[in-house]
Amino acid sequence: MKETQDKQKILLVDGNSERRQQMVEGLQNAFHVTPALDGEMAVDILRGRQDFAAILLQCRLFDFSGFDVMNYLHTSRTLLAIPTIAMGAPEDELKALSLGAVAFIEQSKEPYMISYQVKNLMNLIWYDRDSDALTGVLQWEPFLKKARDLLDKAEQDKRPQQWSMAFLNVDRFKVFNDLFGRATGDQLLRNLAARLTQLKGVACVGRVGGDRFVMLCRMEGLELNRFRQVGPELMRRLHLKYGLHICCGIYEIDDLTLPVGEICDRAQIAQETISGRSDQSVALYDEELRRNLRWEQEVSSQMYEALEQGQFQVYLQPIFSLSSNAPVSAEALVRWIHPERGLIPPNQFIPVLERNGFITRLDQYVWETVFQYLVEFKAAGYPALTISANMSRLDLYNADVCGLLTNMAKKYAIDPASFHIEVTESAYMDDSQQMLDMTKQLNTAGFAVLIDDFGSGYSSLNMLMNMTVSTLKLDMGFVRSVGSNERTNCVVNSIVRMAKWLEMGVVAEGAETQTQIDYLRSIGCDRVQGYYFSRPVPKDEFMHLLARYRGNPAREKPRVFDKTADTRAVWSAVMAYDRMMQGRMDAAALFEQFGDTVEVMSVNDAYYKLMESSPEILFRSSQLITAWLEEKDRPRFLMALKAAVETGERQELVVRRYMEADRMKNLMVSICYMGRKDNRKLFLTLFRDISLLKLTLSAEAVLPADAAPPNPQQPSGCQSCRKMLIVEDNQVNRLVLKKMLSQEYGILEAPNGKAGLDILHSGENIQAVLLDIFMPIMDGYEFLRKKAQDPALRDIPVLVLSQSDNRESEEKARQLGASGFVRKPYDPEDLKRALNSLVNDN
């Protein structure tokens, strides 16, 4: 029996008083036994206490039987989690097991024999409960109990030892899994757990989850150098040549009475300081980390009181028009005016509030304050003034946030167009589909959306084409060197041009010098925010600023496409984006349309590669794009151009393009209308070759974008084979996958995660799921999250269709339960092998 399980409580329910007494005597040396005479007494006891390690239950009792007690256990998850050992005649065994008993003992045996059986069963039950199934070390909760017991005993010693807690993980473990496979990754974790238990000074080891482990150690025997050698030792054992980096954080426990979870948190804080740093393997929780933790605790303990007392104040930083040099808008920024500390900078408390979740309450406080300000400005004669406020990443996952803002606008009788929402570019990269969905909701409700800190992250042309935003706020890192750095000038100029062609405004943040202002004005930047004009100020000072400029109304030039613009200037902006994307942008071309004539004006290198062309070939031959299209696809292509002009939204379709030697390529085309030049319409188009899937689509395969998937209750393909579900929003991709797999599987289809879950719940016996990540309505992440929460669906394996360079997406999907990955473009044989392996393993 484990030390942490000594003297655990057992409820013994037996109507035979003599046998019950003998059982109590046989078990009381190992357990605290609570006897019950019948089922009713047992239920009464369980209503008041649910901390039993097990229930030893006689099946045949007067009136309220043991079977009735087992039925009662099903009314509570807590009760159902208590293991029940049933006793009775042989004919009772099947019913007892069917009602959830973990074991059955024939009651004809002598009581002392039953006592031994119970002890052995309890050892097995609690070993399974305590131990991690993969590695054999303690699970998280049992580790906390074991560590607490050891620390409590250490505190009682007259000469207590010095203890420490270690928290460690394998750096970039997901990459290791991708390189060597999940089976090798599991073996690595088993070997790591075994090695940790052997280290000198280690008292107990627990697995937090994934590749994360914790260890309670005696400092006098702990050898820190051993942690640095564990990674190379494991690689030698697995016969692999790989630079495995294991990073470990250690907290020397100075207060043995602290909760074990808090002790582990401090060790983890130390570990996180060296995560990703291959030059350091061990970090100690030091005074600086201690100060940061104390500050975080201080912020968390005071934040509610600070909000109630109005210590959080909303300042306004004016945004000036460069065409009129007058304030036309403002950004709301929160400041903490502490009664003792004074002004606390945002970078000292905002990250803490983001980590503990309080940021959502603070955001809502700021939003309401902004609406109150707008009421005052309107009454003071400034009805056209707009104010923007920030929305944190956590707000994006609040399904009620749009309704909340709408209700505030109604409450204060403010036009939603006066309230602008700022979201960061990095939030788009975290969860693009969630951002797109939220943006559409806000736009529909009348709120304008701005992209903050644009250019600070992974700025993609696809992001600008997809998102319906009104303004880009250019990151101040660019603005600091404009006017003096030629490379920065080129990038900023390109961003401003691209934004205007997409009918977006641009606000340059952080402008501080006349040189910066002059350059931004020369390239047509709309607005500027920065210390050159004003710092963030309280509302009353902002009102004085507005009064000062009252006689200088802001008449800004409308944001329209420059009809005199040189096509080369347009394309230079696209190429600048190509450089920002480090060559990862799709094949792109700039088209001009006059009537039914569509002419190629400029292309990037990826276009030449895709079309198997060159500058000489392209401009020596016909530049009419329609001349290279299959005849049936030409009117569809022209209709897509027309739709892009009329709706202002990106259009996507599949066309077939003639190549040399009578070959044909199947291309996915995305079309974005840029504006007009004289009588010609200008389009930016992106191309993706779906012929790389090594299949040929027939003419009938080119389907309209809104075509519905087949009836999910009628699988296509092999009707007698195992069934597979394809969850993919791109219909052409679904068609290609069906062609690959229809001989071996019955195929069901879903265009998004929600439809996929509906099919899984429909009763179809699905053997595997092929899942895309980025989809409308419900993306692949949410699909995996909801599937994992449903016990009936949890064991269905999911193979994720992954982009070749999207490692972060793969790691997130793996954490949510993905079983494997196949990268696009798919090789049919590789896909079949991966899928068959997944299905056969399950």
Side-chain angles (χ1 to χ4, degrees), residues 277-461:
R277 292 179 50 183
S278 57
D279 61 326
Q280 191 172 349
S281 298
V282 179
L284 297 176
Y285 181 86
D286 58 15
E287 189 56 38
E288 181 180 356
L289 289 174
R290 190 187 305 271
R291 284 196 300 269
N292 292 339
L293 181 61
R294 285 176 178 170
W295 170 244
E296 188 158 334
Q297 291 171 338
E298 184 177 342
V299 170
S300 298
S301 67
Q302 298 182 27
M303 58 192 184
Y304 289 97
E305 183 180 4
L307 187 61
E308 292 173 359
Q309 295 181 355
Q311 295 177 23
F312 291 114
Q313 296 186 15
V314 178
Y315 279 38
L316 298 172
Q317 184 168 27
I319 298 174
F320 277 70
S321 165
L322 285 181
S323 60
S324 65
N325 285 334
V328 291
S329 183
E331 179 184 359
L333 299 167
V334 68
R335 296 292 184 262
W336 188 353
I337 313 298
H338 194 278
E340 298 175 1
R341 293 177 175 268
L343 179 64
I344 301 177
N347 62 356
Q348 291 186 14
F349 66 88
I350 293 294
V352 177
L353 302 186
E354 288 176 338
R355 285 193 290 271
N356 64 29
F358 188 77
I359 191 67
T360 57
R361 291 195 59 175
L362 184 60
D363 283 347
Q364 293 175 21
Y365 166 77
V366 172
W367 300 341
E368 181 127 18
T369 304
V370 167
F371 278 109
Q372 294 169 357
Y373 287 178
L374 287 169
V375 171
E376 294 186 49
F377 297 151
K378 185 178 179 180
Y382 302 102
L385 191 74
T386 62
I387 301 180
S388 63
N390 290 288
M391 178 179 284
S392 73
R393 301 183 192 198
L394 293 179
D395 292 317
L396 294 176
Y397 294 94
N398 181 357
D400 299 327
V401 71
C402 187
L404 180 67
L405 287 168
T406 301
N407 290 335
M408 286 184 184
K410 291 178 180 178
K411 175 181 176 181
Y412 293 100
I414 293 295
D415 184 353
S418 300
F419 186 94
H420 293 180
I421 293 292
E422 295 195 18
V423 294
T424 61
E425 173 192 0
S426 56
Y428 174 87
M429 298 313 301
D430 283 349
D431 197 331
S432 59
Q433 190 58 53
Q434 186 69 25
M435 174 79 89
L436 292 175
D437 292 344
M438 180 62 72
T439 302
K440 289 178 182 177
Q441 289 181 35
L442 292 168
N443 289 152
T444 302
F447 298 99
V449 178
L450 290 66
I451 296 293
D452 196 15
D453 298 332
F454 184 80
S456 61
Y458 192 72
S459 308
S460 73
L461 185 56

Side-chain angles (χ1 to χ4, degrees), residues 783-794:
F783 174 90
L784 288 168
R785 191 176 291 112
K786 289 186 179 297
K787 173 181 169 294
Q789 294 170 354
D790 190 332
L793 308 180
R794 193 174 296 153

Side-chain angles (χ1 to χ4, degrees), residues 412-700:
Y412 293 100
I414 293 295
D415 184 353
S418 300
F419 186 94
H420 293 180
I421 293 292
E422 295 195 18
V423 294
T424 61
E425 173 192 0
S426 56
Y428 174 87
M429 298 313 301
D430 283 349
D431 197 331
S432 59
Q433 190 58 53
Q434 186 69 25
M435 174 79 89
L436 292 175
D437 292 344
M438 180 62 72
T439 302
K440 289 178 182 177
Q441 289 181 35
L442 292 168
N443 289 152
T444 302
F447 298 99
V449 178
L450 290 66
I451 296 293
D452 196 15
D453 298 332
F454 184 80
S456 61
Y458 192 72
S459 308
S460 73
L461 185 56
N462 281 327
M463 182 182 80
L464 294 186
M465 292 176 68
N466 284 335
M467 288 194 65
T468 51
V469 298
S470 65
T471 302
L472 301 181
K473 298 194 73 175
L474 190 60
D475 183 66
M476 62 178 63
F478 285 123
V479 177
R480 286 194 186 101
S481 54
V482 296
S484 58
N485 183 294
E486 193 58 38
R487 189 168 183 269
T488 303
N489 289 351
C490 177
V491 172
V492 172
N493 189 11
S494 299
I495 292 175
V496 171
R497 286 178 179 273
M498 183 63 67
K500 283 185 172 292
W501 289 318
L502 293 173
E503 298 185 353
M504 298 178 184
V506 177
V507 175
E509 296 185 280
E512 298 179 353
T513 68
Q514 185 66 52
T515 300
Q516 294 166 352
I517 296 297
D518 291 342
Y519 180 78
L520 292 168
R521 182 181 285 114
S522 72
I523 63 174
C525 181
D526 301 307
R527 301 177 176 185
V528 167
Q529 174 183 351
Y531 285 3
Y532 179 84
F533 287 108
S534 175
R535 293 172 177 266
V537 295
K539 179 204 62 178
D540 292 342
E541 287 188 36
F542 183 75
M543 291 283 282
H544 292 315
L545 182 70
L546 291 177
R548 194 188 318 158
Y549 285 91
R550 188 184 288 274
N552 185 19
R555 296 198 178 108
E556 294 185 282
K557 298 176 183 178
R559 296 194 305 273
V560 296
F561 184 77
D562 183 1
K563 295 181 179 180
T564 64
D566 185 354
T567 301
R568 293 180 181 177
V570 180
W571 187 248
S572 70
V574 175
M575 295 307 292
Y577 264 87
D578 198 6
R579 289 191 292 273
M580 289 175 67
M581 294 287 288
Q582 300 178 352
R584 289 190 291 264
M585 196 170 85
D586 286 337
L590 199 65
F591 292 164
E592 282 190 350
Q593 181 187 23
F594 184 77
D596 289 343
T597 301
V598 185
E599 188 174 4
V600 180
M601 303 305 296
S602 303
V603 301
N604 65 352
D605 290 341
Y607 181 93
Y608 288 128
K609 183 178 180 180
L610 177 63
M611 305 304 181
E612 302 173 17
S613 183
S614 66
E616 294 77 20
I617 295 175
L618 178 64
F619 295 104
R620 187 175 65 236
S621 58
S622 173
Q623 293 176 236
L624 298 180
I625 183 63
T626 48
W628 293 91
L629 296 181
E630 203 278 335
E631 186 175 356
K632 293 182 180 179
D633 293 340
R634 293 170 191 171
R636 295 177 60 252
F637 181 78
L638 294 173
M639 287 175 61
L641 297 180
K642 182 180 179 182
V645 174
E646 293 176 349
T647 65
E649 298 179 355
R650 184 181 68 156
Q651 303 296 309
E652 192 169 84
L653 75 159
V654 175
V655 297
R656 291 160 291 181
R657 186 190 192 280
Y658 290 113
M659 307 298 293
E660 298 294 336
D662 296 325
R663 289 183 299 112
M664 187 174 287
K665 276 191 175 182
N666 303 289
L667 305 175
M668 179 67 73
V669 187
S670 296
I671 301 171
C672 183
Y673 175 57
M674 307 295 289
R676 293 177 180 271
K677 179 188 176 186
D678 300 325
N679 293 325
R680 294 173 178 262
K681 299 168 188 172
L682 197 63
F683 298 89
L684 176 64
T685 54
L686 304 178
F687 296 87
R688 184 158 52 95
D689 182 10
I690 63 173
S691 300
L692 292 177
L693 299 170
K694 300 185 179 180
L695 293 171
T696 303
L697 299 179
S698 64
E700 291 75 15

Side-chain angles (χ1 to χ4, degrees), residues 50-334:
Q50 300 179 354
D51 59 343
F52 292 104
I55 301 171
L56 185 55
L57 179 64
Q58 183 188 11
C59 294
R60 304 284 178 174
L61 298 167
F62 296 111
D63 296 330
F64 202 94
S65 72
F67 300 128
D68 295 323
V69 174
M70 283 188 271
N71 280 319
Y72 172 74
L73 297 178
H74 285 266
T75 64
S76 166
R77 289 187 178 182
T78 305
L79 292 176
L80 195 58
I82 303 174
T84 299
I85 302 172
M87 300 183 296
E91 60 268 23
D92 297 327
E93 181 175 6
L94 181 60
K95 185 174 181 179
L97 294 175
S98 69
L99 288 173
V102 299
F104 184 85
I105 299 174
E106 287 191 24
Q107 203 161 291
S108 59
K109 297 179 180 178
E110 293 294 330
Y112 76 91
M113 293 182 62
I114 297 177
S115 298
Y116 282 122
Q117 281 188 277
V118 171
K119 291 176 183 178
N120 293 336
L121 284 169
M122 289 298 295
N123 271 315
L124 290 173
I125 290 170
W126 285 102
Y127 178 82
D128 290 342
R129 285 188 160 214
D130 289 358
S131 300
D132 173 60
L134 177 65
T135 63
V137 299
L138 292 172
Q139 296 186 55
W140 174 241
E141 292 293 340
F143 173 83
L144 294 180
K145 293 178 182 177
K146 176 78 171 180
R148 181 72 273 156
D149 287 347
L150 291 173
L151 294 178
D152 286 346
K153 289 183 178 180
E155 188 185 13
Q156 296 169 6
D157 291 342
K158 294 181 179 179
R159 298 177 61 187
Q161 294 177 316
Q162 180 63 48
W163 291 80
S164 65
M165 185 68 72
F167 186 103
L168 78 162
N169 74 341
V170 180
D171 221 3
R172 296 173 62 82
F173 178 66
K174 300 298 187 298
V175 175
F176 182 91
N177 261 349
D178 290 339
L179 290 174
F180 302 108
R182 190 168 182 176
T184 305
D186 288 347
Q187 186 60 48
L188 170 66
L189 295 180
R190 284 191 288 268
N191 291 353
L192 174 59
R195 187 69 189 91
L196 295 178
T197 58
Q198 297 167 5
L199 290 175
K200 187 177 180 181
V202 174
C204 61
V205 180
R207 186 184 181 198
V208 181
D211 60 318
R212 298 174 298 160
F213 294 85
V214 283
M215 298 173 293
L216 183 64
C217 313
R218 300 179 182 87
M219 284 298 295
E220 63 181 24
L222 190 63
E223 300 178 30
L224 295 182
N225 288 332
R226 299 297 297 165
F227 287 113
R228 300 182 177 91
Q229 301 168 12
V230 169
E233 287 177 3
L234 294 175
M235 290 301 92
R236 286 194 294 272
R237 182 175 296 183
L238 291 173
H239 306 289
L240 296 175
K241 293 183 178 180
Y242 180 76
L244 188 73
H245 179 226
I246 295 177
C247 45
C248 177
I250 295 177
Y251 168 55
E252 298 182 8
I253 304 172
D254 52 9
D255 182 357
L256 297 177
T257 64
L258 284 174
V260 179
E262 185 175 332
I263 292 172
C264 293
D265 288 343
R266 296 187 181 188
Q268 184 177 7
I269 289 172
Q271 180 269 329
E272 288 173 350
T273 64
I274 57 172
S275 181
R277 292 179 50 183
S278 57
D279 61 326
Q280 191 172 349
S281 298
V282 179
L284 297 176
Y285 181 86
D286 58 15
E287 189 56 38
E288 181 180 356
L289 289 174
R290 190 187 305 271
R291 284 196 300 269
N292 292 339
L293 181 61
R294 285 176 178 170
W295 170 244
E296 188 158 334
Q297 291 171 338
E298 184 177 342
V299 170
S300 298
S301 67
Q302 298 182 27
M303 58 192 184
Y304 289 97
E305 183 180 4
L307 187 61
E308 292 173 359
Q309 295 181 355
Q311 295 177 23
F312 291 114
Q313 296 186 15
V314 178
Y315 279 38
L316 298 172
Q317 184 168 27
I319 298 174
F320 277 70
S321 165
L322 285 181
S323 60
S324 65
N325 285 334
V328 291
S329 183
E331 179 184 359
L333 299 167
V334 68

